Amino acid sequence: MARRRRVFRIVIEPAEETPTEWYMATSPDLPGLATQGRGLDETLAMVKDAILAYFDLKPPAYALDIRVLVPV
């Protein structure tokens, strides 16, 4: 039996007003979740770690589907 999917929206935006290579990630679906990284690849890796920490290393029984929203 296939596991249900759950979508958590992740918002990634520049960490500072002046463009740098640092990004901040938050989630309107996971209150209090916040992380940052240098570059988008590192930030996405940090998001995955932050979600595991958010669920105390025990992700929910359903499959996680992470979709990243990058404001323009």
Side-chain angles (χ1 to χ4, degrees):
M1 181 160 104
R3 296 193 310 173
R4 293 186 354 223
R5 297 189 81 69
R6 175 75 192 264
V7 176
F8 295 114
R9 294 171 294 164
I10 304 295
V11 178
I12 295 180
E13 52 195 354
E16 302 174 10
E17 286 184 30
T18 305
T20 65
E21 49 191 41
W22 287 91
Y23 292 89
M24 179 75 178
T26 57
S27 174
D29 300 324
L30 301 169
L33 182 116
T35 190
Q36 66 180 11
R38 181 180 238 159
L40 290 175
D41 289 338
E42 181 179 306
T43 305
L44 287 173
M46 297 300 290
V47 165
K48 291 176 185 178
D49 288 343
I51 289 173
L52 283 176
Y54 188 89
F55 289 109
D56 197 25
L57 300 178
K58 299 175 199 152
Y62 42 77
L64 300 178
D65 186 1
I66 302 168
R67 297 182 185 176
V68 177
L69 310 173
V70 180
V72 182

